[in-house]
Amino acid sequence: MNRKVIALLLGGFSLLLLATFFYGLFYASDPQSIPSALIGKEAKNFTLTTFEGQTIELKQFRGKPVVLNFWASWCVACKAEAHIMEAAHQKYTPRGAVFIGIAFNDKREDSLAFIRRYGKTYLLGPDNEVGDISLNYGITAAPETFFIDEQGIIVHKVLGAVTPEVIRDFLEERLP
Amino acid sequence: MKTPVLFALLLILPAALFGEETLDQRVREIAHQLRCPTCQAMSVKESEAGLATNMKMKIREMLREGKSEKEILAFFVQRYGEWILRSPKKEGINLLLWFSPGILIALAALGLFFRLKGKNAHTHTTDLPPLSAQEKAEINQALKEIEP
């Protein structure tokens, strides 16, 4: 084999390995940078007993756009988005949207204190001890927000504090 | 009355203990194959983060339900993507990842072989330019001076 060809192949493979190494180091190992495997898929149904004792099922809201938020009282970014979520709920729920907040890995009394402090009034309930709902949604950290369309398909996901613009963009085109 | 009870306990207790130990071991084995989603460069087995603890609980629950290792890993891959596996599956484009170090070593060895071969060949061949008439005359002169 020609020496030049070998040198070229060797160089090519070295570059490929280096690229893979850096991809793994700076991109593939950071959950924040990885797109959710659930986008475009049907949102998994769940049953939630809210802190007020109401039992709800995700599938009962089929036909309405749903903003599903995973939060915890210990999470700093959840404090930042608490008012945003509540304000969006006040604005869009009367127009037909559904806002659900699932407390994840949190103590019940801490969740309730958080709810009182930030005046959260939408559908809020705790995940179970295993975290079945959170694991079913591939949660990596709190807060995470899923945007589920009228057909029950997850169309978007936000890692970290949600912004009013993201909620507006999702809901304005779907609500009357 | 006490003896049969003690005997039964002696029979049941080790079985229960070893059974739990095996389950713990299987949980650890599966958790070792999964990446902790909240931490970097750690497996679920190594991590004490809340989510990693949830994942270990889920693995235990699924094992108790009779799910296989393959089914449990598939459960997490379906929800988190293949990224959750610490070792990529040996299929498709991933094969490149698995085999490129070997290919690289083989190519490097081949390159080294050709380089050494070329060097040796270069040492044995006399492809030097021929001596000029003046150089020949100088050599002859030098030889005459050396010879008695």
Side-chain angles (χ1 to χ4, degrees):
Chain A
M1 204 186 292
N2 192 322
R3 271 161 48 183
K4 272 185 184 170
V5 175
I6 291 172
L8 213 66
L9 283 173
L10 202 60
F13 267 101
S14 305
L15 275 176
L16 192 74
L17 265 190
L18 269 178
T20 313
F21 173 73
F22 282 108
Y23 171 81
L25 197 65
F26 296 111
Y27 178 76
S29 60
D30 182 7
Q32 301 281 326
S33 319
I34 296 165
S36 172
L38 300 173
I39 304 295
K41 292 186 181 163
E42 191 176 336
K44 293 198 183 295
N45 188 41
F46 58 82
T47 305
L48 182 76
T49 304
T50 67
F51 288 109
E52 293 181 336
Q54 183 188 354
T55 302
I56 57 161
E57 255 193 296
L58 179 69
K59 67 179 180 190
Q60 77 186 69
F61 302 114
R62 189 61 63 87
K64 293 178 174 183
V66 177
V67 178
L68 176 64
N69 176 251
F70 290 86
W71 63 281
S73 65
W74 43 261
C75 133
V76 178
C78 299
K79 293 171 187 167
E81 68 167 19
H83 293 304
I84 297 168
M85 282 292 292
E86 181 58 27
H89 154 63
Q90 298 285 349
K91 184 178 177 183
Y92 294 110
T93 298
R95 290 172 60 187
V98 178
F99 285 77
I100 304 171
I102 295 173
F104 153 71
N105 267 350
D106 206 6
K107 287 181 186 157
R108 189 178 179 87
E109 58 270 27
D110 293 344
S111 297
L112 288 169
F114 188 89
I115 291 166
R116 279 195 296 273
R117 185 175 175 190
Y118 291 95
K120 285 152 82 88
T121 59
Y122 48 95
L123 296 165
L124 297 155
D127 200 352
N128 64 11
E129 197 194 347
V130 176
D132 277 319
I133 306 173
S134 309
L135 291 176
N136 255 336
Y137 279 81
I139 297 301
T140 56
E144 278 190 30
T145 307
F146 289 82
F147 296 87
I148 303 163
D149 72 8
E150 302 85 324
Q151 284 76 45
I153 305 294
I154 298 170
V155 292
H156 188 49
K157 173 186 159 179
V158 171
L159 280 161
V162 75
T163 62
E165 291 76 26
V166 177
I167 300 175
R168 185 195 61 206
D169 291 348
F170 171 68
L171 292 175
E172 282 295 348
E173 63 182 41
R174 290 179 165 83
L175 294 172
Chain B
M1 180 65 194
K2 278 181 185 173
T3 317
V5 174
L6 273 172
F7 186 70
L9 271 175
L10 280 172
L11 275 177
I12 295 163
L13 207 64
L17 282 174
F18 284 119
E20 199 57 29
E21 195 183 330
T22 314
L23 183 66
D24 279 346
Q25 199 179 335
R26 288 190 70 198
V27 170
R28 281 196 296 272
E29 278 167 12
I30 297 171
H32 187 62
Q33 296 176 58
L34 295 168
R35 194 190 299 263
C36 167
T38 45
C39 17
Q40 288 205 6
M42 269 178 111
S43 73
V44 167
K45 180 190 151 197
E46 293 160 343
S47 173
E48 292 299 321
L51 188 63
T53 308
N54 289 108
M55 289 170 82
K56 279 181 265 199
M57 285 164 80
K58 187 70 190 173
I59 295 168
R60 181 180 297 273
E61 188 184 278
M62 291 177 85
L63 283 171
R64 280 195 174 132
E65 284 167 4
K67 298 274 191 320
S68 68
E69 180 180 312
K70 203 176 169 185
E71 284 172 313
I72 296 169
L73 292 176
F75 170 88
F76 286 105
V77 168
Q78 204 183 13
R79 284 149 184 85
Y80 286 90
E82 212 177 299
W83 163 87
I84 202 75
L85 298 176
R86 291 179 74 215
S87 298
K89 286 178 190 167
K90 286 177 189 156
E91 58 188 39
I93 190 79
N94 292 345
L95 287 173
L96 195 67
L97 273 177
W98 281 97
F99 294 114
S100 55
I103 295 169
L104 194 69
I105 291 167
L107 280 171
L110 208 63
L112 195 71
F113 170 75
F114 275 103
R115 193 175 167 82
L116 287 174
K117 196 180 162 194
K119 208 172 179 181
N120 287 344
H122 193 75
T123 316
H124 294 298
T125 52
T126 51
D127 51 351
L128 294 169
L131 294 173
S132 65
Q134 192 192 341
E135 283 169 335
K136 279 179 185 169
E138 281 174 8
I139 290 168
N140 285 335
Q141 182 62 36
L143 282 171
K144 276 178 192 168
E145 283 170 13
I146 294 166
E147 283 168 2

